[in-house]
Amino acid sequence: MTATVNTKRMDLHVSPLGRVEGDLDLRVTVEDGVVTQAWTEAGMFRGFEMILKGKDPQAGLIVTPRICGICGGSHLYKSAFALDVAWRTELPPNALLVRNIAQACETLQSVPRWFYALFAIDLTNRRYAKAKGYDEAVRRFAPLVGESYERGVTLSAKPVEIYAIFGGQWPHSSFMIPGGVMCGPTLSDVTRSIAILEEFRHNWLESRFLGCSVDRWLEIKTWEDVLAWVDENESQHNSDLGFFLRFGLEIGLDRFGAGCGNYLAMGTYLHHEKYNRPTIEGRNAALIQRSGIYAGGKHYEFDQARVREDHTFSFYQGSGLLHPFEGRTEPIDPADAKRQGKYTWAKAPRYDVDGLGSVPLEVGPLARQVVAGKPGEEWQDVDPLFSDIIAKKGPSVLVRVLARLHEEAKLYKNVREWLGELDLHDRFYIKPVEHEFGRGFGATEAARGALADWIVLENGKIANYQVVTPTAWNIGPRDSRNVNGPMEQAYLGTTIHDPGDPVELGHVARSFDSCLVCTVHAYDSKTGKEIGVYRIGETG
């Protein structure tokens, strides 16, 4: 970490910010102890779109799951739907159910792994040593040795065992294909999947994490319900979720990290009887976990045609806003780009909202749960909890984390239901016509947020392919109007208590599921002399 200091102003450069995916850097200006400017910098070039250009249309099914080792199944899910739309396929109900089961299992795995291995270990930082709950935080969440850490990380592997039963492997499976899925599960596969899911519920979700039944947690509809639930009985009070809420409020995680306050969800989990002929136009109405925009205090329908990517401050040729169907990936030398004021490889996704123009939108669990607050059909995810919390408390690190934890109980219920709806005597695949020309859009909600592909086919080859990830939505840079990206905005106003160990920066990044340095080196940027070494997350 670089720290450049004068009397009241300090510039911090944290590199890398990531604990798992360490290509994200952060620069902030701190004045009188408060962050006044922020720049998020993606330090590595991806270029998967360039790899796919000119390839066979099905190349995306192989290449895009390799974009991420954590949510490769989510990449496969939206890539398959993009080609389904372009080829105008027919999908049997079983194929939609299996895709949903696999996608949800990957997210079920991601929640405890992210919470214990990435987020919660920062609660053991010495910054909180004087807090009443500190010793308890260390006992539960200390990396590798914490009682809850070990169990949570270990049992997080269970849901993706179900993914592997249907997909043959996890990660990097390519079993979702245009027209369906490449599997023919047996009754034994289904009963084994149910047994694994129930083990996950019994040994972690209810016994350790919630301290109550899934159904009891899902009765909660307001912030007052949340607080009452914590103190309802000893089991819930002492559960990992109960403790996180108590300790998070004690150390003030509800008082910073708000962000832009506008949200986007592209939705996921297509109903097995309502999306058998995939089209862009028919997608919104078939979603179980719905799409939508919440901006300026209003709900809007999601329309992929309103998505743009701004690359004014990104290491690419030119500037301006382009829809992904017309998107270009033309990298330039970062040294030359920096002379033009550019500072990151990430583009800046924006969405054209009526009356607001192209604005940055936060994606992820909080966005999904805010969108869930609008009225919907009986079979869709309708949930008023986070509309209530946002109205009463506003967004923050604590609220963003709670939204992700809240989804775990819902997804368990979804997967259990879908496993019971499979018809083992029916088809899982319908061979499609491989059209030489077409355009397709496929999207999902990875654990981190909205993830989408746009594909253009010409003469039986990929003419253009654009992937817009949740990380790009959240950590994207300023745009042509010089408006900060969502995570950059979330840093503004954050108080840094110790510039030598700015754990608050990590809390914000990890609430979006980004990462913080585990070892921080601070040195004088002019002389290069190291002035201190700090390790974040150690105990004792």
Side-chain angles (χ1 to χ4, degrees):
M1 183 183 74
T2 306
T4 305
V5 185
N6 62 28
T7 305
K8 293 186 177 181
R9 172 178 164 142
M10 173 179 292
D11 292 322
L12 299 177
H13 189 187
V14 184
S15 174
L17 185 65
R19 181 173 282 135
V20 175
E21 296 172 332
D23 60 336
L24 177 64
D25 293 356
L26 174 68
R27 286 187 292 135
V28 294
T29 295
V30 181
E31 298 183 63
D32 294 324
V34 176
V35 175
T36 57
Q37 283 294 340
W39 297 263
T40 52
E41 304 173 356
M44 293 179 67
F45 175 62
R46 189 179 63 189
F48 280 90
E49 292 91 343
M50 298 170 68
I51 296 171
L52 287 166
K53 201 166 185 176
K55 298 292 193 302
D56 183 276
Q58 298 186 80
L61 308 174
I62 306 298
V63 173
T64 65
R66 272 73 183 175
I67 290 175
C68 180
I70 296 175
C71 47
S74 302
H75 279 278
L76 175 63
Y77 186 94
K78 47 67 173 164
S79 177
F81 276 114
L83 200 48
D84 279 318
V85 171
W87 277 357
R88 305 183 285 282
T89 67
E90 180 181 1
L91 294 172
N94 276 335
L96 288 160
L97 287 168
V98 170
R99 289 185 186 187
N100 288 349
I101 291 166
Q103 164 75 86
C105 282
E106 182 173 81
T107 302
L108 279 170
Q109 168 265 163
S110 180
V111 172
R113 192 161 296 186
W114 155 79
F115 179 68
Y116 293 110
L118 298 180
F119 182 84
I121 59 178
D122 286 331
L123 302 181
T124 70
N125 189 280
R126 290 172 184 167
R127 152 108 171 84
Y128 307 118
K130 294 182 180 178
K132 185 172 65 175
Y134 181 71
D135 290 343
E136 181 66 15
V138 173
R139 185 180 69 78
R140 290 174 188 255
F141 301 138
L144 303 179
V145 298
E147 294 177 3
S148 297
Y149 178 102
E150 190 275 337
R151 181 182 288 197
V153 171
T154 300
L155 288 173
S156 70
K158 286 297 173 184
V160 288
E161 289 180 13
I162 299 171
Y163 191 112
I165 288 173
F166 290 95
Q169 68 181 69
W170 184 92
H172 306 320
S173 175
S174 295
F175 83 108
M176 300 177 197
I177 56 175
V181 291
M182 290 179 65
C183 65
T186 64
L187 181 60
S188 176
D189 292 330
V190 175
T191 55
R192 184 180 168 204
S193 298
I194 292 173
I196 293 170
L197 187 68
E198 290 305 301
E199 179 186 0
F200 179 72
R201 175 187 63 80
H202 182 266
N203 289 342
W204 177 74
L205 181 57
E206 292 186 341
S207 60
R208 169 74 64 163
F209 183 66
L210 294 174
C212 68
S213 69
V214 165
D215 290 335
R216 170 65 191 97
W217 171 256
L218 293 179
E219 290 173 357
I220 292 174
K221 303 300 179 190
T222 68
W223 176 242
E224 289 77 12
D225 288 349
V226 172
L227 297 178
W229 174 87
V230 171
D231 293 324
E232 187 172 85
N233 56 52
E234 187 175 347
S235 176
Q236 291 160 199
H237 187 82
N238 292 325
S239 68
D240 281 351
L241 180 54
F243 175 75
F244 164 71
L245 287 164
R246 290 187 284 118
F247 192 62
L249 290 169
E250 181 186 2
I251 64 176
L253 297 184
D254 59 327
R255 297 197 289 270
F256 65 97
C260 61
N262 296 323
Y263 304 96
L264 159 68
M266 293 187 184
T268 190
Y269 309 127
L270 280 307
H271 192 282
H272 65 286
E273 293 179 343
K274 301 181 186 298
Y275 202 58
N276 307 99
R277 297 278 186 180
T279 63
I280 293 175
E281 296 75 17
R283 184 175 180 277
N284 282 348
L287 288 165
I288 295 171
Q289 191 176 78
R290 291 171 295 159
S291 63
I293 314 299
Y294 182 80
K298 297 179 181 178
H299 285 283
Y300 300 87
E301 289 296 312
F302 169 68
D303 180 357
Q304 63 80 32
R306 290 174 175 262
V307 174
R308 299 287 186 275
E309 286 190 294
D310 190 307
H311 53 285
T312 304
F313 287 91
S314 309
F315 297 157
Y316 300 97
Q317 293 281 0
S319 61
L321 289 161
L322 292 174
H323 184 272
F325 275 141
E326 284 75 43
R328 297 196 301 267
T329 303
E330 300 171 341
I332 58 177
D333 188 320
D336 295 334
K338 287 179 180 178
R339 284 191 284 274
Q340 301 173 33
K342 298 170 182 274
Y343 60 93
T344 178
W345 282 111
K347 297 178 182 176
R350 295 292 185 263
Y351 189 91
D352 182 16
V353 179
D354 284 337
L356 299 178
S358 292
V359 297
L361 300 172
E362 176 179 333
V363 302
L366 181 55
R368 291 194 286 267
Q369 293 311 307
V370 169
V371 169
K374 66 181 179 179
E377 302 293 334
E378 180 272 333
W379 49 271
Q380 293 181 312
D381 180 24
V382 178
D383 186 344
L385 176 57
F386 281 83
S387 295
D388 181 82
I389 293 176
I390 291 294
K392 292 173 179 173
K393 287 191 65 63
S396 65
V397 167
L398 184 137
V399 170
R400 191 173 293 113
V401 171
L402 180 60
R404 186 157 175 179
L405 299 176
H406 175 62
E407 290 188 331
E408 195 75 344
K410 290 185 178 183
L411 292 177
Y412 159 77
K413 297 276 287 187
N414 288 147
V415 174
R416 186 65 183 82
E417 179 181 339
W418 294 329
L419 284 167
E421 290 178 337
L422 288 171
D423 181 354
L424 301 182
H425 301 291
D426 203 353
R427 296 176 295 180
F428 288 78
Y429 170 72
I430 299 172
K431 184 174 177 55
V433 175
E434 300 183 10
H435 297 281
E436 290 195 343
F437 294 84
R439 289 187 168 200
F441 164 73
T444 188
E445 290 287 331
R448 293 186 177 96
L451 171 64
D453 284 5
W454 285 261
I455 184 172
V456 179
L457 303 179
E458 293 178 1
N459 299 313
K461 300 291 183 183
I462 296 173
N464 197 6
Y465 204 105
Q466 293 293 319
V467 182
V468 180
T469 65
T471 298
W473 279 101
N474 285 333
I475 66 104
R478 290 158 173 74
D479 55 30
S480 57
R481 298 193 299 174
N482 209 33
V483 177
N484 292 90
M487 189 187 291
E488 291 179 337
Q489 294 189 43
Y491 282 114
L492 303 181
T494 298
T495 299
I496 305 299
H497 288 84
D498 179 2
D501 188 1
V503 67
E504 297 87 357
L505 302 180
H507 288 322
V508 174
R510 299 209 203 296
S511 71
F512 284 93
D513 195 7
S514 186
C515 303
L516 178 68
V517 290
C518 54
T519 301
V520 177
H521 297 263
Y523 67 96
D524 187 312
S525 62
K526 293 183 178 179
T527 66
K529 180 182 177 182
E530 186 176 89
I531 58 176
V533 178
Y534 306 88
R535 292 181 182 276
I536 295 174
E538 290 187 345
T539 60

